[in-house]
Structure formats: structure tokens, C-alpha cells
């Protein structure tokens, strides 16, 4: 079976690292035990980079996607001007196909440019992403070598030291015979591979030169399919929005500025899928393409950057583990005037490292222009259509006019685009990591998933205290009533304390118990998952109370 691989999953790791890895392993085991996440095709040994969401996982992820859709699209009030928004705007949705005309990917640049560089190790037969290997230069016994590792931080230092000692045949107490020539650096800075000790090799120079690897999954359309019928599974949902820009404008009377949102599967043949669902080969994205006038685009970029960051905070990610990182100028794509990533300090990353949850990019007019004119490349300060050796466009655009016409100002222009692009699986993983807590309660360890009530898979559990005296009947009636509106769960099995614990483990925010007093005064016990406080309220008010408890905050 494929292992769930974490960055820090190596044998010799320091105490803090060990605790973090253990924490992550506990979360992975809870996810399997309680039905959040399973390995895809597990009974056949699994398939690396693919995951299945179990009964609770599917609810959690659906709640996250629905919160996103409600907060960004269906609940967006275009008549109310938010304080920080430059003007009123519409938000509409779309669901485009996964397989599209191959020309889409040629013009978008994915066909030529969507690749990572990989290196193979001839000794261990392992394949790595070139930019994910790091290492340190070290000199000993007259030779200088580059000791490579897949991990960063303190753990990377420790691992490279152990491996250098082994390579030079030294014992731990001879560590001073190793002269380190700088800190951990990326393998991309190394020109001479003959001096590299690959992450799982015993001899030098076993890595091949970096080779390009296109991340798009290829497939064949139709029964007669040959190479000319090759198509691709989409690596992002965004292009489906760009190619429908005109359809949406013509059919829905939206006026610029407006946004089109889409949630759907994307596929990338990642070289090294890892860290649970963080880097998968099939995943879901929640993307917005926001179209605006070029002159207003810097303001809208700022708006979406801030609004999307706030959304994660409102749904419960702690500000200490969440950050908004503006890309440096040299990190920006050739067409981008600004990009910021929302990042989370996942527990499987070394301390101080963050993983991307969402990117917010100012994309200028790059996408719409590409689909009009053909694949664009930068020439000095200009974006021009790339030409072949005969001076013809290398990848021809649709030739359609995708400009927007403002009938009030009589201006015709190609809108600029701001793209907040989020991963539903990475978001779900961050919410799972954030929720996981172990607490000491009355001398016992309580495992509790502290999900925000809006995303919790089960909102409330209904318990009859004992299975007699009419309590089960009353509890079932309340369950039936609440079930019409909320995801609630009925449990009459075992001691009440144990039933509470089972619900804590899956993050159910409220427990409602029908007990002896209910029979006398029609009140129930309401137990709060986080504070463990209990209060009594009339059974007739439970529905209203739950509704208020689950209501979304304004976003
Ligand atoms: P990375 O640098 O981590 O590969 P990216 O910058 O290529 O990510 P984008 O192309 O900006 O990612 O995609 C937008 C979002 O889609 C990411 O922020 C992430 O949440 C999600 N995403 C991208 N690739 C994957 C993947 N392999 N598995 C899970 N989610 C992904």
C-alpha cells in the first residue's frame, strides 16, 4: 500500500519534529477511522495521489464549498456597497466541462509551459521534482560534495549531517571533520550533478539532468481516436470561465465589474504527490475570475486579496497559522501585475514553513487576449502573439471578439482579470488540521475536532438519556423535526459520556439530551462541544436556537 508521505517522515528527527509528525499521523488515522478520508482503491493497494472522501469527509468538504459559494456568489448582495469595495458588482456561477477543445490549452500556455522539471535517481529508481530537493555543500577528506535531502529546516540539517558522516565513513563524534560550506540550498542552484549525493543514494552522481514533464493528463476522445483526437483533463477550472466570458455577458446582462465563479475537479499529473491530500493528482478548485476595467484593476486586486484572506479567518483558521504573502517581483508570472498567496502553517511542514491554500492573481488582459489572438509571449514590455518559423501564430486563438462594450461610455476594451483561485481539498485539510485537538478533561484525554459550526459535518446530535420512560420517542420526534433542516445525528447506544465523546471526535458542535426533566417540563439539555457548558432550553426553541447558532457571519 502507498504510504502517506510527510516531509518530516524520516527516521532521525528532533523531538519537536517527531511530535508534529505524530500529530499528523494521529489526524490521518482519525480521518480513516471515522470516515473523513480514505485512500483511493485501497483494497487494491491504493493509487498514489488519489483520495476518497468518506461519509463525514464528503459533508465537511461540501460544507466548505457551500460556504464559499454562498459567501462569494449566491449570498452576494450586488445592491450593497461593501465599505472597501470600489463599486457595486454582480457575481454569477458556471459549470464548464472538464475536457475542452485542445486549442484552449494551447492558447492558455498550458500545452507548452505547464510543466515541472524532474530528476531521476539511477541508483534508487526514485523520481523527484527538481525544485523540491535541497542540500548542503560539505567538504571532508579533501572532497567537496552536495548532500541532498527532501526536507527543510533543522530536520534537513540533521539528515544531511547523518548522511555525510556515513558517506565519509565517520562516526558521530568525528562530526567536526565535516566542513559545511553554507546552509541548505535548492538543487536548482547546483550545476554539477556529479558531486550530488541524491536523497536515497549511497554513491555520488546518480541523478539524471532535469527533464521537463508536462503535468496535464492526456486522453483520447472518440472510438477512432488517434493522436489528432488527443485531449486533456483540465489542470484548472479557470479556462472554462474565460472561454465562456462572452456567453455569460450576452446571456445574463451582467455589467463590468462582475465575477464568474466555478467549483470543480482539476487534474495534474504531479511528479511527487505527498502530504496527504495537499498535493494530489485529482483535486477540486473553487475559482473566481473577476472582470473589471483596466484602470480599476489595482483596487479590485486589493479588494479580493483582503476579502479572501478574511474568509478563512471567519471560518476558524487561526491568524497565527495563516498568512497573506505577496509575491516578489521575480516570482510573478510574465503577465501578472501582482499575486498574493494565502498560506497555512500545516503541521507536516517544518516550523516556519507555510503551504499555499489559495492564490490571488492580477492577470491583466492575458487570458481573454490569448483566446482572441493566440498564445502570447513577452517581448520586452509587450505581450505579443508567439509566432512559428514561418511568422504565423504558433497557437492560433479563436479569432472571436472577446472585448467588452460599455454602452454608457461607448468604450470597447478587453477587461482585466483578478483571479482568486482556491483549492477545496487543501482548504479541507487545513480545517481538519486546525480543528484537531487533544484536551485533558477530568483526568482523561478528550479528542475533539473544533470545526466552525458552519462547516461541521454533523450540526447536532440528539440523545435520549436512557432507553425507557418515553425518552427515546421524544428524542426521535425531535430528531425527525430537526432533520428536515439540519444534518443531525441520533444516538441511543451506550453511556451518555461515551456518546458525547464520539461526537466530539467528529466535531459535532451541539449535543441535545432528552432526560427525566424533559418529561416534566419539556426542556432539554444543550451541551456546547467547546466549552462543555450545559444549559436547559424548551424543546420548542431548539430549532430556532440551532438556526441562530449556525448562521453565517457577514463576509
Ligand atoms: P503549488 O505551487 O502548490 O503546486 P500552484 O501555485 O500550482 O500550487 P495554482 O495553479 O495557483 O496552484 O492552483 C490554485 C489552487 O489549487 C492552489 O492554491 C491549491 O489550493 C490548489 N491546488 C493546486 N495544485 C494542487 C494539487 N496538486 N493538489 C491539491 N490542490 C492543488
Amino acid at each position: 500500500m502507498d504510504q502517506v508521505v510527510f516531509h518530516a517522515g524520516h527516521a532521525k528527527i528532533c523531538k519537536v519534529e517527531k511530535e508534529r509528525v505524530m500529530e499528523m499521523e494521529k489526524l490521518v488515522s482519525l480521518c480513516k477511522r471515522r470516515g473523513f478520508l480514505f485512500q483511493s482503491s485501497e483494497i487494491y493497494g491504493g493509487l498514489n495521489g488519489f483520495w476518497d472522501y468518506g461519509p463525514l469527509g464528503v459533508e465537511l468538504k461540501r460544507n466548505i464549498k457551500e460556504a464559499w459559494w454562498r459567501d462569494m456568489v449566491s449570498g452576494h448582495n450586488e445592491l450593497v456597497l461593501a465599505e472597501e469595495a470600489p463599486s457595486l458588482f454582480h457575481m454569477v456561477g458556471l459549470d464548464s466541462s472538464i475536457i475542452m477543445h485542445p486549442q484552449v490549452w494551447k492558447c492558455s500556455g498550458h500545452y507548452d509551459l505547464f510543466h515541472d522539471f524532474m530528476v531521476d535517481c539511477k541508483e534508487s529508481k526514485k523520481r523527484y521534482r527538481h525544485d523540491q530537493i535541497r542540500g548542503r555543500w560539505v567538504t571532508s577528506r579533501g572532497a567537496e560534495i552536495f548532500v541532498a535531502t527532501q526536507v527543510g529546516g533543522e530536520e534537513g540539517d540533521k539528515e544531511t549531517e547523518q548522511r555525510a558522516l556515513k558517506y565519509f565513513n565517520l562516526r558521530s563524534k568525528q562530526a567536526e571533520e565535516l566542513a559545511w560550506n553554507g546552509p541548505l540550498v535548492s538543487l536548482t542552484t547546483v550545476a554539477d550533478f556529479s558531486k550530488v549525493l541524491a536523497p536515497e543514494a549511497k554513491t555520488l552522481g546518480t541523478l539524471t539532468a532535469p527533464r521537463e514533464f508536462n503535468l496535464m493528463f492526456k486522453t483520447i476522445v472518440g472510438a477512432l481516436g488517434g493522436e489528432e483526437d488527443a485531449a486533456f483533463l483540465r489542470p484548472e477550472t479557470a479556462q472554462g470561465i474565460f472561454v465562456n466570458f462572452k456567453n455569460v455577458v450576452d446571456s445574463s446582462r451582467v455589467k463590468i465589474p462582475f465575477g464568474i465563479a466555478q467549483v470543480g475537479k482539476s487534474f495534474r499529473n504531479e511528479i511527487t504527490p505527498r502530504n496527504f491530500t495537499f498535493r494530489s493528482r485529482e483535486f477540486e478548485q473553487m475559482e473566481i475570475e473577476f472582470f473589471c476595467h483596466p484602470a480599476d484593476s489595482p483596487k479590485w486586486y486589493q479588494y479580493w486579496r483582503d476579502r479572501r484572506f478574511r474568509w478563512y479567518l471567519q471560518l476558524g483558521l487561526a491568524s497565527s497559522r495563516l498568512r497573506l504573502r505577496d509575491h516578489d517581483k521575480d516570482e510573478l508570472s510574465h503577465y501578472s501585475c501582482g499575486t498574493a498567496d494565502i498560506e497555512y502553517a500545516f503541521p507536516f511542514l517544518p516550523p516556519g514553513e507555510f503551504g499555499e491554500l489559495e492564490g490571488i492573481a492580477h492577470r491583466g488582459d492575458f487570458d481573454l487576449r490569448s483566446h482572441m489572438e493566440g498564445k502570447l509571449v513577452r517581448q520586452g514590455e509587450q505581450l505579443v502573439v508567439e509566432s512559428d518559423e514561418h511568422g504565423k501564430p504558433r497557437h492560433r486563438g479563436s479569432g472571436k471578439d472577446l472585448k467588452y462594450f460599455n454602452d454608457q461610455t461607448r468604450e470597447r476594451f478587453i477587461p482585466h482579470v483578478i483571479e482568486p483561485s482556491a483549492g477545496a481539498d487543501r482548504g479541507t485539510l487545513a480545517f481538519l488540521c486546525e480543528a484537531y485537538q487533544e484536551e485533558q478533561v477530568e483526568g482523561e484525554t478528550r479528542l475533539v475536532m473544533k470545526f466552525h459550526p458552519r462547516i461541521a459535518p454533523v450540526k447536532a446530535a440528539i440523545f435520549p438519556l436512557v432507553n425507557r420512560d418515553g425518552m427515546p420517542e421524544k428524542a426521535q420526534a425531535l430528531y425527525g423535526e430537526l432533520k428536515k433542516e439540519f444534518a443531525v445525528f441520533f444516538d441511543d447506544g451506550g453511556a451518555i459520556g461515551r456518546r458525547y465523546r464520539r461526537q466530539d471526535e467528529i466535531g459535532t458542535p451541539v449535543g441535545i439530551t432528552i432526560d427525566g426533566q424533559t418529561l416534566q417540563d419539556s426542556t432539554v439539555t444543550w451541551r456546547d462541544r467547546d466549552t462543555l457548558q450545559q444549559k436547559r432550553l424548551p424543546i420548542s426553541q431548539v430549532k430556532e436556537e440551532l438556526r441562530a447558532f449556525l448562521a453565517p457571519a457577514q463576509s
Side-chain angles (χ1 to χ4, degrees):
M1 183 172 111
D2 284 325
Q3 292 285 313
V4 177
V5 183
F6 298 112
H7 274 288
H10 292 248
K12 290 208 160 41
I13 53 180
C14 65
K15 194 163 166 278
V16 189
E17 291 291 295
K18 228 180 214 160
E19 277 165 14
R20 283 187 314 107
V21 173
M22 268 169 54
E23 201 175 290
M24 203 55 214
E25 280 165 1
K26 281 192 213 162
L27 176 66
V28 173
S29 118
L30 173 88
C31 282
K32 174 160 174 163
R33 184 161 53 79
R34 297 306 310 264
F36 283 97
L37 274 158
F38 307 125
Q39 201 165 28
S40 160
S41 341
E42 193 185 273
I43 60 168
Y44 288 103
L47 185 61
N48 202 7
F50 297 90
W51 297 93
D52 297 338
Y53 287 80
L56 289 177
V58 70
E59 295 295 338
L60 175 67
K61 188 172 163 193
R62 211 166 53 85
N63 290 342
I64 292 166
K65 289 186 289 181
E66 280 179 8
W68 183 87
W69 192 267
R70 191 192 174 283
D71 295 345
M72 300 300 126
V73 189
S74 60
H76 169 77
N77 185 345
E78 66 276 4
L79 304 178
V80 173
L81 187 61
E83 225 167 75
E84 68 288 14
S87 63
L88 301 173
F89 63 96
H90 274 98
M91 291 295 296
V92 295
L94 183 81
D95 186 8
S96 68
S97 64
I98 286 175
I99 295 177
M100 293 189 269
H101 195 293
Q103 201 63 16
V104 171
W105 308 111
K106 292 187 175 162
C107 290
S108 70
H110 287 84
Y111 184 81
D112 293 331
L113 300 172
F114 192 56
H115 51 240
D116 280 336
F117 285 93
M118 59 182 183
V119 290
D120 287 303
C121 176
K122 288 177 267 184
E123 184 185 314
S124 67
K125 308 286 177 236
K126 290 274 166 55
R127 174 165 288 176
Y128 308 98
R129 234 172 82 172
H130 186 206
D131 62 347
Q132 280 177 352
I133 297 188
R134 310 163 227 213
R136 284 198 291 171
W137 285 102
V138 62
T139 307
S140 189
R141 303 191 164 171
E144 189 190 34
I145 66 168
F146 183 83
V147 187
T149 170
Q150 284 185 276
V151 289
E154 219 178 291
E155 191 203 336
D157 287 342
K158 283 203 175 249
E159 191 185 293
T160 45
E161 181 176 292
Q162 294 301 325
R163 297 191 61 233
L165 287 171
K166 207 161 179 190
Y167 177 81
F168 288 111
N169 233 336
L170 297 168
R171 272 178 281 167
S172 302
K173 54 183 178 206
Q174 296 171 290
E176 73 280 2
E177 290 185 34
L178 298 172
W180 295 99
N181 308 329
L184 279 176
V185 289
S186 169
L187 180 67
T188 54
T189 62
V190 177
D192 182 359
F193 275 23
S194 68
K195 293 184 174 163
V196 174
L197 184 65
E200 284 146 284
K202 293 197 181 71
T203 48
L204 290 184
T206 58
L207 289 181
T208 60
R211 280 181 294 149
E212 279 181 17
F213 176 76
N214 194 299
L215 300 180
M216 282 200 294
F217 278 100
K218 210 171 183 182
T219 188
I220 297 288
V221 176
L224 300 173
E227 197 42 39
E228 67 282 9
D229 298 310
F232 301 95
L233 305 192
R234 67 180 176 203
E236 61 173 35
T237 60
Q239 297 305 321
I241 299 181
F242 295 126
V243 298
N244 277 296
F245 168 72
K246 202 79 184 151
N247 283 336
V248 173
V249 171
D250 292 347
S251 61
S252 54
R253 297 179 59 224
V254 284
K255 298 248 183 286
I256 266 175
F258 73 92
I260 306 180
Q262 168 156 236
V263 180
K265 290 262 180 166
S266 292
F267 302 81
R268 296 182 189 179
N269 200 359
E270 298 280 359
I271 297 169
T272 44
R274 60 175 163 178
N275 289 336
F276 209 9
T277 56
F278 181 83
R279 189 169 299 289
S280 313
R281 288 178 166 141
E282 174 178 337
F283 54 96
E284 243 173 317
Q285 291 185 308
M286 309 187 290
E287 294 196 295
I288 296 170
E289 303 305 327
F290 190 80
F291 301 92
C292 58
H293 191 281
D296 297 332
S297 60
K299 279 185 275 175
W300 282 115
Y301 168 64
Q302 199 63 33
Y303 170 78
W304 281 107
R305 177 188 168 279
D306 299 343
R307 180 163 177 205
R308 290 301 306 142
F309 184 64
R310 227 171 35 240
W311 187 80
Y312 290 99
L313 290 175
Q314 281 167 347
L315 278 183
L317 290 191
S319 56
S320 57
R321 282 185 282 269
L322 196 70
R323 75 173 186 194
L324 187 59
R325 186 181 67 84
D326 289 303
H327 282 208
D328 296 333
K329 268 255 169 301
D330 55 354
E331 260 186 284
L332 295 179
S333 321
H334 59 292
Y335 47 76
S336 183
C337 323
T339 296
D341 285 344
I342 299 172
E343 301 178 328
Y344 181 72
F346 284 97
F348 49 77
L349 298 176
E353 285 198 16
F354 288 71
E356 177 184 329
L357 290 180
E358 170 162 352
I360 299 101
H362 181 305
R363 299 180 61 89
D365 64 359
F366 177 81
D367 305 276
L368 290 176
R369 256 188 78 198
S370 307
H371 288 302
M372 285 168 68
E373 300 170 11
K375 187 190 157 207
L376 300 172
V377 285
R378 183 163 286 289
Q379 213 171 68
E381 283 300 288
Q382 301 280 308
L383 280 173
V384 297
V385 175
E386 189 183 13
S387 36
D388 63 13
E389 61 276 24
H390 309 295
K392 297 214 172 106
R394 198 166 123 62
H395 295 303
R396 213 174 274 283
S398 66
K400 299 280 187 300
D401 182 4
L402 303 180
K403 290 201 190 81
Y404 176 82
F405 179 64
N406 183 329
D407 50 14
Q408 279 172 355
T409 61
R410 315 300 293 167
E411 191 186 359
R412 189 178 291 280
F413 61 94
I414 307 178
H416 274 200
V417 168
I418 312 299
E419 178 189 77
S421 168
D425 306 270
R426 282 195 193 170
T428 304
L429 184 57
F431 287 116
L432 278 165
C433 293
E434 184 72 30
Y436 186 95
Q437 293 193 20
E438 286 179 18
E439 294 175 349
Q440 291 306 313
V441 179
E442 291 162 6
E444 275 184 35
T445 305
R446 177 172 91 117
L447 202 174
V448 54
M449 295 296 282
K450 291 194 172 171
F451 293 123
H452 187 287
R454 276 186 82 194
I455 61 170
V458 178
K459 307 301 182 195
I462 321 298
F463 312 115
L465 184 63
V466 288
N467 282 318
R468 59 182 150 75
D469 303 335
M471 290 183 212
E473 291 76 8
K474 272 209 181 308
Q476 279 164 15
L478 179 63
Y479 170 77
E481 194 47 36
L482 295 177
K483 188 80 179 171
K484 291 179 200 158
E485 201 175 324
F486 311 101
V488 287
F489 186 78
F490 180 86
D491 189 1
D492 60 358
I496 189 74
R498 243 191 296 135
R499 282 184 267 167
Y500 282 147
R501 295 286 177 276
R502 283 202 292 262
Q503 292 305 313
D504 288 345
E505 250 190 18
I506 62 165
T508 307
V510 178
I512 298 165
T513 308
I514 308 293
D515 49 25
Q517 202 178 325
T518 315
L519 308 176
Q520 291 160 21
D521 64 5
S522 290
T523 60
V524 297
T525 305
W526 172 291
R527 174 202 184 252
D528 184 286
R529 174 198 67 196
D530 297 346
T531 62
L532 296 178
Q533 302 263 309
Q534 303 198 355
K535 64 177 179 187
R536 292 205 75 84
L537 79 159
I539 202 164
S540 55
Q541 280 177 23
V542 169
K543 204 170 189 175
E544 195 51 49
E545 186 85 6
L546 205 52
R547 217 177 269 143
F549 182 73
L550 299 170
Q554 281 312 306
S555 109

